Amino acid sequence: MSESLLEVNHLDVVYGRGRSAKQALHDVSIAISAGETLGLVGESGSGKTTLGRTVLGLVPASRGSIVFDGTDITRLDRRGRRRLATELQAVFQDPYSSLNPSMTVSDILVEPLIAQGVKRLDADERIRQLMASVSLPPDSLTRYAREFSGGQRQRIAIARALALDPRLIVCDEPVSALDLTTQLRVLDLLIEIQERTGVAYLFITHDLAVVRYMSHRVAVMHQGRIVETGDTGVVTERPEQEYTKRLLVANLVADPEEQARRRQLRWALG
């Protein structure tokens, strides 16, 4: 693996204090290289989203370091965090709540550009390019976010994340709220963007079919710890840890309809 773009070293996150304190992350270490996708997989409550939000600076680290391109970003001040926004972005799970329904697409995409000092004329040109990059027509810019389907909203969210040409995007369950066909289209879009731009992804998901399709490497989380990591093919075909084996057996769900959906997704993804 090439030199890491992101290194998380011995990270702890503790919520609360005293007897009410709860440790959400325990001694977590991961690394992501430029242009790479690291899939972060585990059951609900395993700590996946907490790790993603800590990398983004939305949750404070209690111990350890998060080094992005050689700089420990856990110690950045507000100005440093603002500069980091050009390098590190996010796409969240729910395309309905992640976009302001009362804003036009143009306003949604222009906002981060103007915040970084981009001139309005240049920003307008940039957002037209962004719409093309996520395969949405230019006339979408004048419409409101509430007028779009879930898949279209997630494309807009991806365009917003790309606006500042980031080097790493944290994708937190970005397709779990979408139907199967739309999932496939969004995953293919993310792969195409990565091949074209070289952006890296921390791809958080509970779905192993998606991990196999998207990720170069995978890290498995359980109860706030990384229990196994390695090349996706190796971990998903020849896991070493008992928890990973259990996770793989059925991607354990009791709902027959959800099991059928996941079998269909695995078939569709090959």
Side-chain angles (χ1 to χ4, degrees), residues 70-113:
T71 299
D72 186 353
I73 62 176
T74 61
R75 294 170 171 80
L76 290 180
D77 58 16
R78 183 176 296 180
R79 181 178 297 179
R81 273 286 166 188
R82 182 178 174 183
R83 288 196 299 267
L84 184 65
T86 64
E87 306 278 345
L88 180 59
Q89 285 288 316
V91 177
F92 295 108
Q93 177 178 3
D94 186 355
Y96 292 93
S97 62
S98 62
L99 301 176
N100 187 331
S102 64
M103 294 177 68
T104 66
V105 174
S106 176
D107 290 338
I108 289 169
L109 298 183
V110 161
E111 188 176 50
L113 293 164

Side-chain angles (χ1 to χ4, degrees), residues 203-231:
F203 197 95
I204 299 168
T205 182
H206 64 280
D207 199 318
L208 287 162
V210 172
V211 166
R212 291 188 184 101
Y213 193 66
M214 281 294 301
S215 304
H216 301 98
R217 291 186 305 115
V218 60
V220 182
M221 288 203 78
H222 180 51
Q223 296 181 346
R225 303 178 187 271
I226 299 292
V227 297
E228 188 161 0
T229 186
D231 290 345

Side-chain angles (χ1 to χ4, degrees), residues 11 238 240:
L11 185 70
R238 300 186 299 277
E240 295 182 356

Side-chain angles (χ1 to χ4, degrees), residues 30-32 36-40 201-203 215-219 229:
I30 61 170
I32 306 175
E36 180 185 42
T37 298
L38 176 69
L40 185 63
Y201 298 132
L202 173 59
F203 197 95
S215 304
H216 301 98
R217 291 186 305 115
V218 60
T229 186

Side-chain angles (χ1 to χ4, degrees), residues 12-63:
D12 288 353
V13 169
V14 180
Y15 294 119
R17 295 182 179 180
R19 293 184 178 180
S20 63
K22 177 183 177 181
Q23 189 157 357
L25 297 181
H26 305 257
D27 197 30
V28 169
S29 296
I30 61 170
I32 306 175
S33 297
E36 180 185 42
T37 298
L38 176 69
L40 185 63
V41 65
E43 295 168 301
S44 178
S46 62
K48 306 185 304 295
T49 291
T50 297
L51 177 54
R53 290 175 65 84
T54 307
V55 169
L56 291 166
L58 302 176
V59 172
S62 304
R63 184 181 74 93

Side-chain angles (χ1 to χ4, degrees), residues 174-189:
V175 298
S176 63
L178 307 175
D179 64 74
L180 175 63
T181 301
T182 306
Q183 283 188 40
L184 293 172
R185 289 173 179 165
V186 171
L187 292 175
D188 284 340
L189 173 63

